[in-house]
Amino acid sequence: MRRDTFLKSLAALAAAGALPLSARAATAVKMMLPANPGGGWDTTGRALGRALQDAGVASSVTYDNKGGAAGAIGLAQFVNSSKGDPNALMVMGSVMVGGIITGKPPVNLSQATPIARLTSEYNVFVLPTSSPFKTMGEVIAQLKKDPGSVKWGGGSRGSTEHIAAAMIAREAGVDPAKINYVAFRGGGEAIAAILGGNVTIGGGGYSEMAEYINTKKMVPVAVTSGQRLKGSSVPTLKEQGINVEIGNWRGVYAAPGISAEQRKGLVDMVAKALKSKSWAESLEKNDWTPAWLAGDEFGAFVDAEFASLRATMVKAGMA
């Protein structure tokens, strides 16, 4: 077959969508990261982007950071500007679900297309090294004396660390409405506030804080898991007599209005990316737990999370 005839045939097959995914690897993916640089969503999205390229299913990945309102600002831009775009993806997670419940934005996740849950991790609460407190018990004792004097720092309103702080207050017999919670637009801002001693106690994903814990720039006092994390000496809240356990999962959504075939193609792309060496390295580096759940099952999981988190937040006086 002449070269020009072959190329025309290849182009026709590609246009018809008949080529296998590996032969259509020239996909230029656009990744919405609905948070400022430095946090969990930013790290997850960029790790996924590298994995998509490493797996050969994306030729390039561009990133758009749009922080604020627990991801609702980025979600709104994604929903309004990406309709029908089969190459657009957005990182999201339990924080966005909580933020939608508390913030009641005009956009909702139901307007976008669920693709897959990627990872799960637990949060850690840390103290600045300059803190007069040394343990979570001491922080809670102060919280009972004067709730407003304990400044909690973390992600947006409705984030897992915000919910955990409210749950801790309730368990300690303190009105959750009285907690002094300072919301930051991204993990990077929260980390800077903790390092600068501008908050009493900070919370965030363990992977976000690990570097600062390991270099003793932050003092870890509790994790939100049911059992101690593998290889970690940080006690759980439950070990310290505080009956609170809450996880933080992250996933990826596609644009509104894509076809069932395009959705399946994206699920397959992400599945291949998660089998790459690059993704395996990211899991290990960030201490992420794989939590694969795709398509309709993932959509049903998110619906269940909305119901569960709303019930928890109502009980904690947050919704």
Side-chain angles (χ1 to χ4, degrees):
M1 184 185 287
R2 285 176 49 191
R3 185 172 180 274
D4 59 341
T5 307
F6 170 74
L7 290 173
K8 284 178 185 174
S9 301
L10 198 64
L13 281 168
L19 281 174
L21 206 57
S22 59
R24 286 187 278 137
T27 304
V29 173
K30 287 165 275 186
M31 187 87 67
M32 165 59 72
L33 306 173
N36 288 352
W41 285 347
D42 183 68
T43 306
T44 301
R46 291 176 191 275
L48 178 60
R50 286 191 299 273
L52 287 165
Q53 291 179 283
D54 187 36
V57 292
S59 60
S60 65
V61 182
T62 53
Y63 305 94
D64 186 7
N65 285 90
K66 192 68 65 176
I73 293 172
L75 172 62
Q77 180 175 311
F78 184 73
V79 165
N80 294 326
S81 66
S82 302
K83 287 175 185 170
D85 186 345
N87 299 329
L89 291 172
M90 178 190 71
V91 176
M92 50 70 70
S94 55
V95 170
M96 185 176 282
V97 174
I100 289 170
I101 293 167
T102 57
K104 301 177 179 62
V107 290
N108 206 300
L109 271 169
S110 60
Q111 293 168 262
T113 307
I115 296 300
R117 186 181 65 190
L118 308 176
T119 62
S120 181
E121 72 171 333
Y122 289 99
N123 284 359
V124 60
F125 281 105
V126 296
L127 302 174
T129 52
S130 59
S131 174
F133 306 115
K134 302 301 174 194
T135 66
M136 178 59 89
E138 291 178 7
V139 173
I140 290 174
Q142 180 61 31
L143 181 72
K144 288 178 177 179
K145 281 186 203 169
D146 181 4
S149 69
V150 177
K151 191 185 286 187
W152 301 79
S156 303
R157 279 184 55 79
S159 63
T160 46
E161 53 267 33
H162 185 195
I163 296 167
M167 291 168 76
I168 289 166
R170 181 168 52 83
E171 285 293 311
V174 174
D175 180 356
K178 292 183 177 178
I179 65 169
N180 181 5
Y181 185 82
V182 182
F184 293 95
R185 288 166 64 92
E189 289 182 15
I191 286 167
I194 298 163
L195 292 173
N198 299 319
V199 294
T200 310
I201 183 168
Y206 201 97
S207 63
E208 295 174 60
M209 307 295 189
E211 174 190 342
Y212 306 98
I213 291 170
N214 295 338
T215 55
K216 302 194 184 306
K217 292 178 180 174
M218 294 178 181
V219 181
V221 290
V223 288
T224 62
S225 53
Q227 299 177 332
R228 288 198 185 193
L229 300 178
K230 185 181 175 183
S232 170
S233 60
V234 185
T236 67
L237 286 164
K238 286 187 170 181
E239 278 181 75
Q240 301 177 69
I242 307 153
N243 188 28
V244 171
E245 179 182 347
I246 185 169
N248 184 12
W249 55 268
R250 297 190 181 112
V252 64
Y253 265 58
I258 61 171
S259 69
E261 187 180 353
Q262 288 169 332
R263 182 193 191 190
K264 184 181 182 303
L266 284 169
V267 170
D268 291 345
M269 274 179 68
V270 174
K272 287 189 177 184
L274 266 56
K275 290 174 184 170
S276 69
K277 181 184 176 185
S278 169
W279 185 253
E281 289 170 350
S282 292
L283 288 177
E284 186 175 351
K285 178 185 175 184
N286 295 296
D287 254 343
W288 291 334
T289 301
W292 176 256
L293 191 67
D296 289 338
E297 288 184 333
F298 175 49
F301 164 80
V302 173
D303 290 342
E305 279 288 285
F306 263 108
S308 173
L309 267 183
R310 186 176 280 109
T312 298
M313 291 164 79
V314 166
K315 202 172 177 184
M318 293 175 61

